[in-house]
Amino acid sequence: MSEAISRDDVLQVCQELPATTDERPFGPETAVAKVVGKVFAITPLDAEPASVTLKAAPAHAEALVRDHAWITPGYHMNKRHWVTVTLGPDADAELVKDLVVNSYDLVVAGLPRHQRP
């Protein structure tokens, strides 16, 4: 198990990805990371425990939920394509960072070639 990961760490990983914007369409209490206008991460800023909802391939999402108690089907999202990761002492920081990048990559792959960063 790696070091703990915080909400701020997740927001930083999102911010460092190319062509990413931090938007607040649901109000100031929810950060929504988008790439070229498409959502890849949703982070409630005032909820405890901290969490992030990320896009995942259906088979990968199913395996993540099965293998990690701190990962559940996406909250208020399509349960096949999104997972919610609870951040805290049980969450593996490196896996969470990889899941953020994977979510970004899935969204970018779905963009027309001329829009991809």
Side-chain angles (χ1 to χ4, degrees), residues 14-94:
C14 292
Q15 184 179 38
E16 292 172 354
L17 296 167
T20 296
T21 58
D22 178 4
E23 301 182 17
R24 308 296 162 103
F26 307 118
E29 64 280 347
T30 305
V32 178
K34 294 183 178 182
V35 57
V36 192
K38 301 290 184 182
V39 175
F40 71 92
I42 302 170
T43 309
L45 301 175
D46 58 355
E48 290 300 330
S51 67
V52 60
T53 300
L54 302 164
K55 191 166 184 70
H60 191 212
E62 185 179 323
L64 289 166
V65 169
R66 180 189 64 230
D67 296 343
H68 303 284
W70 45 275
I71 300 177
T72 58
Y75 181 70
H76 283 304
M77 302 296 280
N78 181 314
K79 307 296 186 223
R80 283 184 37 115
H81 296 274
W82 293 84
V83 293
T84 296
V85 178
T86 301
L87 308 174
D90 293 337
D92 181 308
E94 288 306 310

